[in-house]
Amino acid sequence: MATWPRLAAALWAALTSALLAATHSPAARAEDGYELWLRYHPLESAAAAVYRAAAGELVVQGDTPSLAAARDELARGLEGLLGGEVPLSEGVTRDGAIVVGTPASSPIVRGLALDLGALGPEGYMLASREIGGRAATVVAANTGVGALYGAFHFLRLIQTQASIDDLAITSAPRVRLRLLNHWDNLDGYVERGYAGASIWDWRMLPDYRDPRYTDYARAAASVGINGVSLTNVNADATVLTPEYLDRVAALADVLRPYGVRVYLTARFSAPVEIGGLATADPLDPQVRAWWAEKAEEIYARAPDFGGFLVKANSEGQPGPQDYGRSHAEGANMLADALAPHGGVVMWRAFVYASDNPDDRHKQAYDELAPLDGEFRDNVLIQVKNGPIDFQPREPFHPLFGAMPETPLMLEVQITKEYLGFATHLAYLGPLWEEALDADTHARGEGSTVGRVIDGSLHGYAITGMAGVSNVGADRNWTGSHFDQANWYAFARLAWDHELDAEAIAEEWARMTFSNEDALVAPVVAMMMRSREAVVDYMTPLGLHHLMATGHHYGPGPWVDDLGRPDWNPTYYHRADADGLGFDRTAAGSGALAQYAPELQEMWGDPETVPESLLLWFHHVPWDHEMESGRTLWEELVHAYSRGVATVAGMRETWASLEGYVDPERFAQVAAFLAIQEREARWWRDACLAYFQTFAQRPFPEGYEPPAQTLEHYMAIEHPYAPGETRPQ
Ligand code: GCW
């Protein structure tokens, strides 16, 4: 018979084990997203036991800062995942040793005589080996940073519960410069930022180095980011003053062990603004000397400084054309200043002139393609994925394939300026994959954008890919939990553009939420549909730039009164009584002529162009018959409605996953999906109400008409929507 004390003890035991289970079960613990995909929460016990056998001790030989970072990350990750400390050892003393190092740092690695030649300075090898009769896993590379990347890969295998037996993995980046571009102003405001203020606290630097910078560096290194441009391309010359360069140097120090170099945006007029010169003419000897000296000052503080990112003669930014000089003359002047120190210039191709009435689609190509071959060896031209501006869907930028003598980088936007800010769930892996896989036909079939930017098509000596960052000071870094996936996917594709967006989504979901298939499969399916849903409810069938003015939040297809024609949505959709879309064939703006003949032929005919780009290249009658048999008007209604339905389906999917995700993250995603569904309806209804005034056709049967009148939608204003361009 149970006595009271025994009963009480039994009750107490039951209670504490229930409490323990609650705190240990990953689904039950409240999480704010700060840990990103590096959560390292305990695996369930059976899985942990398997990995524990293969992770008996950690042998990191060498003590460079990057090797120390690799050791610390492995120690932290393994302890978290396996639920106990993994001992550090000087040598292999038992089965399950994890040996990390480079041939230079580690006698063990040297002794294995691994073939690391093809891995370059950043690649790595994960290999199962016997060492002194013991089973070991070797994480080897030519540099400490390579070993750090390998350590993160090894942890990822365990985080995603992949096998770590018989490992024979080698990996090296296809693209050399893999950057995040922050559009952060020095006052902490982030242009097109939806995750709070800038993480760079310039006021506290250089004295206080927020530990968050180290976590940022860890996250960056975990996915192979090796550069960060700290400041907005709408640049402020102040960052080039000595006081700020000291702060830049402090950030460079924090990021260095993780293989991340800092870059700055160079305001072209800096010699005038902070240098006291009368001109910033790139051919003026004093200007050239000023920049050369500026470069000296920077490299004295940060010897591995990466270089300058420049937006010039675009949207009001100063540039060489202010002095009658070309983009090449401007870029080369900065390149000459950086060359002695090994720095590069990333010169942006996002240029369009206020006095040029031509189709904006054509302007970057017309200005830059003729300059091919005129740039210094340390200049890259950084080209957005599409010719207009980070729309939910664009054809690839026609410069890709058109500058064989000039290294072209790809720039994509991770922050979702045009895809619903942080509240809409839109996984951008498929968008970037579409851009990277697009065939330019520059050297015959298979001349993809990916092969242009990785240098294999034209033999570029330097290669790069940049993503406009979505990181801010929000606890979850990116403003929403699912936007972390976009940071992650960008970096994974920059490392290897042949990776599959769906596989990347799966990796991310396993690390970020849970390894349970019941969660992973629906989450990945939802992510994979999400970008197309945004295309559908915002700009289907090749429509583009229908967003409201300035902040770009919500629909504004009716806007027609802005200073420049090409700032107006009406310029892009050209709706009239006959039809819809922008004729870019020879009969229209002629932009199609910037593409290869094969594409001109296919895209030039409304019958053969993919319907996803139909209205990008053609002005199409409202009754044009689509593949589905519907008319254009009916198809438009169908696509907008499908977008809303997809989001409603995403909401249902998420609702069914309660219990697989901790309550805090679950609730935020659920609330954001509700906002997304409401805004998707708003987009659909507003755009269809507007286009109907031209189409003059009824809503097809089975489709709800807009909930409100067009006047209602046109009267909506959002004066404080985040992220707008702000003068500095
Ligand atoms: O997409 C536009 C944005 C601007 C941005 C510009 C650019 C930094 O609306 O905010 O300015 O592109 O890429 O330079």
Side-chain angles (χ1 to χ4, degrees), residues 486-564:
N486 291 326
W487 179 5
Y488 185 86
F490 159 74
R492 298 284 287 130
L493 287 169
W495 180 273
D496 182 355
H497 61 77
E498 292 195 353
L499 292 177
D500 171 49
E502 184 163 0
I504 294 172
E506 179 173 339
E507 245 171 52
W508 174 83
R510 286 183 183 278
M511 294 190 285
T512 304
F513 290 121
S514 139
N515 268 302
E516 289 191 68
D517 290 336
L519 171 122
V520 174
V523 163
V524 170
M526 182 169 95
M527 291 169 75
M528 292 305 290
R529 290 201 305 264
S530 60
R531 176 270 186 144
E532 206 61 44
V534 179
V535 172
D536 274 345
Y537 65 70
M538 288 189 185
T539 51
L541 304 176
L543 288 171
H544 47 293
H545 222 305
L546 304 186
M547 293 76 188
T549 306
H551 48 62
H552 299 151
Y553 172 60
W558 45 80
V559 175
D560 64 357
D561 59 352
L562 302 180
R564 298 176 45 126

Side-chain angles (χ1 to χ4, degrees), residues 183 191-192 232-234 311 314-315 348 350 384 389-390 411 413 417-418 550 552 723 725:
W183 286 357
E191 181 159 342
R192 310 309 176 185
N232 194 349
V233 290
N234 289 331
K311 172 176 179 177
S314 176
E315 300 186 327
R348 294 179 83 232
F350 183 67
K384 291 188 183 184
D389 196 7
F390 299 137
E411 175 181 318
Q413 197 179 41
E417 174 182 357
Y418 294 103
H552 299 151
T725 307

Side-chain angles (χ1 to χ4, degrees), residues 82 102 142 215 224 321 340 344 386 437 441 475 493 574 589 607 612 632 650:
L82 308 183
T102 68
N142 292 312
D215 286 332
Q321 293 178 336
V344 300
D437 292 348
H441 291 269
R475 272 299 288 175
L493 287 169
R574 307 204 166 198
S589 82
E607 298 305 327
S612 59
L632 171 64
M650 285 159 55

Side-chain angles (χ1 to χ4, degrees), residues 431-469:
L431 190 167
W432 302 327
E433 192 170 52
E434 184 177 296
L436 287 159
D437 292 348
D439 195 346
T440 68
H441 291 269
R443 300 233 159 126
E445 218 171 299
S447 304
T448 61
V449 171
R451 295 197 51 222
V452 173
I453 67 147
D454 74 11
S456 61
L457 196 70
H458 301 306
Y460 294 157
I462 351 176
T463 57
M465 181 160 159
V468 179
S469 162

